[in-house]
């Protein structure tokens, strides 16, 4: 769905593979490289810093976005169902409503 933009937020500060990451980001157009956060930031601070960066990025670079989500890199999203869910939510609650869906998660057998 062209209304959905998915991207990986990658902590890349000090990464030895920076050139490779830059090439992949340019070729795939689905990575946002965050040089202000060290690639090897701790498992405690890294996710918090990355989420903060993501929310600041969205508010400044994507002010037109009606919905914003954050999931882990091992989450599978079926875009047609997500687009339908968001459309139905907007119709039910109105375009200016603040809607919180809770945790976006997945399950498997």
């Amino acid at each position: 769905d062209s209304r959905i933009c998915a991207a990986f937020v990658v902590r890349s500060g000090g990464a030895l593979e920076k050139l490779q990451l830059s090439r992949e980001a340019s070729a795939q157009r689905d990575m946002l490289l965050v040089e202000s956060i060290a690639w090897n930031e701790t498992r405690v601070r890294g996710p918090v810093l990355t989420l903060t960066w993501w929310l600041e990025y969205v508010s400044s670079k994507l002010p037109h976005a009606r919905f914003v989500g954050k999931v882990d890199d091992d989450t599978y999203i079926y875009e047609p169902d997500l687009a339908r869910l968001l459309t139905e939510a907007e119709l039910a609650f109105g375009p200016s409503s603040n809607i919180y869906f809770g945790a976006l998660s997945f399950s498997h057998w």
Side-chain angles (χ1 to χ4, degrees):
D1 190 306
S2 64
R3 299 172 297 163
I4 295 175
C5 173
F8 294 95
V9 178
V10 179
R11 297 187 297 265
S12 61
L16 298 175
E17 305 86 10
K18 190 169 288 188
L19 182 57
Q20 182 179 347
L21 286 170
S22 296
R23 286 182 185 150
E24 184 175 344
S26 178
Q28 301 300 321
R29 300 191 183 277
D30 65 352
M31 293 172 56
L32 299 170
L33 301 180
V34 184
E35 294 187 22
S36 61
I37 304 173
W39 70 272
N40 61 347
E41 185 57 73
T42 68
R43 292 182 58 93
V44 174
R45 286 175 29 105
V48 174
L49 293 172
T50 305
L51 175 61
T52 302
W53 182 92
W54 168 240
L55 294 174
E56 289 175 353
Y57 177 87
V58 169
S59 66
S60 66
K61 304 288 188 198
L62 303 171
H64 61 281
R66 295 193 330 250
F67 296 97
V68 175
K70 187 265 181 215
V71 296
D72 287 341
D73 61 352
D74 61 354
T75 302
Y76 177 79
I77 297 175
Y78 185 63
E79 288 187 19
D81 284 350
L82 178 61
R84 189 170 25 263
L85 173 68
L86 298 177
T87 298
E88 290 175 10
E90 190 171 47
L91 289 172
F93 298 105
S96 61
S97 295
N98 293 321
I99 301 170
Y100 175 71
F101 281 110
L104 298 174
S105 62
F106 73 101
S107 62
H108 57 80
W109 294 102

